Amino acid sequence: MKTLLLNIIFGFYFSIFVHSQIDIGACSPIKNDSLLKANNYDFIEGGVSVLLVPLEHDSVYDKIFDKYKKMQLPIRSCTSFLPGNYKVTGPDTVHQQILIYSEIAFRRAQKMKIPYIVFGSARARSIPEGFDKKAATDQFISLLKKMGSIAAKYDITIVIEPLNSKETNFINSVVEGGEIVKAVNHANIQLLADIYHMTREQEQASSIIQYGKYIKHVHIAENDQRTTPGVMGQDFSPYLKALKQINYKGGISIEAHVKDFDKEMSKAIIVLKEQLKD
């Protein structure tokens, strides 16, 4: 009886431990699937333009899908959403074109069982010089509400990615992104926290706590040269502690500039897991 009770208690706490783990992945071409699997990564993050090819005929996508079926790791998300000329804000928006493009991307993502699409798209969303920021924000919110309905149809969640101010002049912090998600108020429009961009903008980890209920995905890289964890030895602990504080159960993708993929990625996951454990 005592042994049975101990097994039940152990099983309970083990299940809590397992379910509290944060998955670690990498933004990478799918050709690196086996290498990442061998280094205990949990998933790959691909690119919309490379994997889902929304501007291409279904026959092109089908060939990519054949490669996908042989993968060992799941694809959790896709970045590089919109082409730069698909203007989201300003006087020359192409929202209807974007929505048609989005439907193709989401349909194909669902077929690959990809749950998240990252809305970074710095060039597409940047506000043209002289254009009113409030008007641009209203345009973006309007687009996202329509896009959310399409995403729901395919069980896709769009995560808005705040980017640093050298890449775009629109949505440069988790706070700004969180306020837009609040305004859209749609279950399929959520938020991404990119620790690289946060540190570039000197945004505090407290923003993660403030908008934690919207955060469904995370990116990470070292601040100085966007290197993988472990190259420069950056300490991410304030941000990782904030993720634990909000009981974050999503994934963290390493999105970095890599010179020696095998060497750097094998070290990066060890460093990141150590910092998460601490």
Side-chain angles (χ1 to χ4, degrees), residues 144-157:
L144 289 172
K145 286 181 176 180
K146 295 170 186 173
M147 196 179 282
S149 297
I150 300 171
K153 181 177 167 183
Y154 297 100
D155 297 317
I156 300 294
T157 299

Side-chain angles (χ1 to χ4, degrees), residues 108-160:
R108 292 176 178 178
Q110 184 187 48
K111 189 176 179 181
M112 284 186 175
K113 300 179 181 178
I114 301 170
Y116 297 101
I117 297 292
V118 177
F119 200 145
S121 308
R123 285 179 55 214
R125 83 179 194 216
S126 288
I127 303 171
E129 187 175 350
F131 194 79
D132 181 66
K133 184 174 182 178
K134 184 182 182 307
T137 302
D138 290 343
Q139 287 177 324
F140 193 40
I141 290 170
S142 174
L143 174 65
L144 289 172
K145 286 181 176 180
K146 295 170 186 173
M147 196 179 282
S149 297
I150 300 171
K153 181 177 167 183
Y154 297 100
D155 297 317
I156 300 294
T157 299
I158 301 162
V159 284
I160 308 304

Side-chain angles (χ1 to χ4, degrees), residues 11-40:
F12 173 74
Y13 282 106
F14 180 76
S15 68
I16 290 175
F17 174 77
V18 168
H19 290 297
S20 67
Q21 295 305 289
I22 295 174
D23 290 341
I24 298 176
C27 295
S28 166
I30 62 174
K31 67 179 182 180
N32 294 318
D33 172 57
S34 297
L35 190 151
L36 290 169
K37 175 71 174 176
N39 281 287
N40 298 312

Side-chain angles (χ1 to χ4, degrees), residues 171-191:
I171 314 174
N172 303 123
S173 67
V174 167
V175 171
E176 287 180 89
E179 287 301 313
I180 284 178
V181 171
K182 278 172 65 177
V184 174
N185 192 29
H186 194 292
N188 295 78
I189 306 294
Q190 298 294 320
L191 186 61

